[in-house]
Amino acid sequence: MAILWQKTIRGQHYEIRSAGRTRRLYTNGVCHSEFNPFHIFSGSIWDLLILPAWFYSASDIRRILVLGVGGGSNVLQLEHLLEPELILGIERDPVHLRLARKFFDIENSCSEIIEVDARGWLANYNGEPFDMIIDDLFMDCGNEPVRAVKVNREWSQLLIRNLKKGGLLTINFASGEELTASAIVRQSRFHHRFPSMFRMTTPLLDNNVGVFIGRQVNSRYLRERLRRHPVAERAIANRRIRYRINQLV
């Protein structure tokens, strides 16, 4: 793996690394993005954040909010695979956005990217709710990835307030224990809003993705829908998509 660019800025060490056509963004040794324009599915955690969109038809997922853009992995995947009316990305690190434009070509995307802290922005947002929200808010602590915002009752309520009824919420957690301890899973007040809750994992990482769906579905339906999508079908056949999905509650 080659280092294409690196610099320490205000005590944070940033790197762009390459492996063939794949580009990866690291901050203090923690990978925040990975993308290859010839392989839209990375085989990593970012796939799990978008795969649940196939629980829905394309017409149901028109407005998507991405909290934590990094280098733009999910934004670029969503543009290639779903082509929604709006992808709104929120990212507080200006260096991440600069590198996303320079090395991940997010500058030429049709998405709207805002440089702002997600917590304050979401608390003050008063617009149309979103069909899908991706929460990938992470930072590093001792060279390890940790969530930047705890998924407590207040944060869960804020996410739900800005999600259309019947919509889809995916949240990246550092571990399975963190997922099951989150308020959105443990507190029954949230269960009526999400009749279907799943855990998604990949054998490559400890991260768990919580999938919260505002309708009753089963995991077999997701597998069937993915097999009917040509890009996803090839990625599954080539084992670029590797995931497990289990019901949470």
Side-chain angles (χ1 to χ4, degrees), residues 138-152:
F138 268 72
M139 60 183 185
D140 63 274
C141 181
N143 296 326
E144 293 293 331
V146 295
R147 278 200 54 85
V149 181
K150 289 185 180 296
V151 185
N152 54 22

Side-chain angles (χ1 to χ4, degrees), residues 110-239:
C110 59
S111 304
E112 181 180 352
I113 308 298
I114 301 175
E115 181 191 324
V116 68
D117 184 83
R119 288 167 291 191
W121 183 89
L122 200 60
N124 293 313
Y125 178 72
N126 195 31
E128 185 179 348
F130 297 90
D131 302 304
M132 178 179 183
I133 298 178
I134 295 174
D135 176 353
D136 190 26
L137 294 172
F138 268 72
M139 60 183 185
D140 63 274
C141 181
N143 296 326
E144 293 293 331
V146 295
R147 278 200 54 85
V149 181
K150 289 185 180 296
V151 185
N152 54 22
R153 184 182 67 182
E154 292 74 23
W155 183 245
S156 301
Q157 289 173 331
L158 190 55
L159 290 169
I160 290 169
R161 190 181 82 190
N162 291 286
L163 182 69
K164 186 177 291 186
K165 190 174 181 180
L168 168 64
L169 170 64
T170 63
I171 306 177
N172 189 3
F173 292 87
S175 67
E177 292 78 14
E178 187 176 46
L179 167 59
T180 54
S182 65
I184 198 167
V185 173
R186 290 179 61 87
Q187 297 184 15
S188 59
R189 71 178 71 200
F190 299 116
H191 296 180
H192 76 280
R193 182 66 186 265
F194 299 112
S196 302
M197 294 185 177
F198 297 97
R199 175 200 311 273
M200 293 188 74
T201 58
T202 172
L204 304 175
L205 296 166
D206 293 329
N207 295 62
N208 280 225
V209 168
V211 181
F212 307 95
I213 303 172
R215 57 177 69 172
Q216 191 70 50
V217 294
N218 60 60
S219 58
R220 182 169 55 187
Y221 179 67
L222 175 64
R223 294 186 177 96
E224 291 172 353
R225 290 287 312 280
L226 288 172
R227 289 192 181 100
R228 293 200 295 266
H229 189 281
V231 178
E233 182 186 34
R234 286 195 300 273
I236 291 170
N238 295 331
R239 295 182 61 80

Side-chain angles (χ1 to χ4, degrees), residues 66-119:
V66 179
L67 302 174
V69 171
S73 299
N74 279 151
V75 169
L76 295 168
Q77 287 179 309
L78 291 166
E79 286 184 354
H80 280 82
L81 297 167
L82 295 183
E83 299 180 352
E85 292 174 4
L86 171 70
I87 303 173
L88 179 59
I90 306 297
E91 173 61 53
R92 71 176 183 177
D93 190 327
V95 181
H96 281 183
L97 293 183
R98 191 194 323 159
L99 297 174
R101 296 183 178 106
K102 183 175 181 179
F103 292 99
F104 292 83
D105 205 28
I106 203 170
E107 182 72 18
N108 295 321
S109 76
C110 59
S111 304
E112 181 180 352
I113 308 298
I114 301 175
E115 181 191 324
V116 68
D117 184 83
R119 288 167 291 191

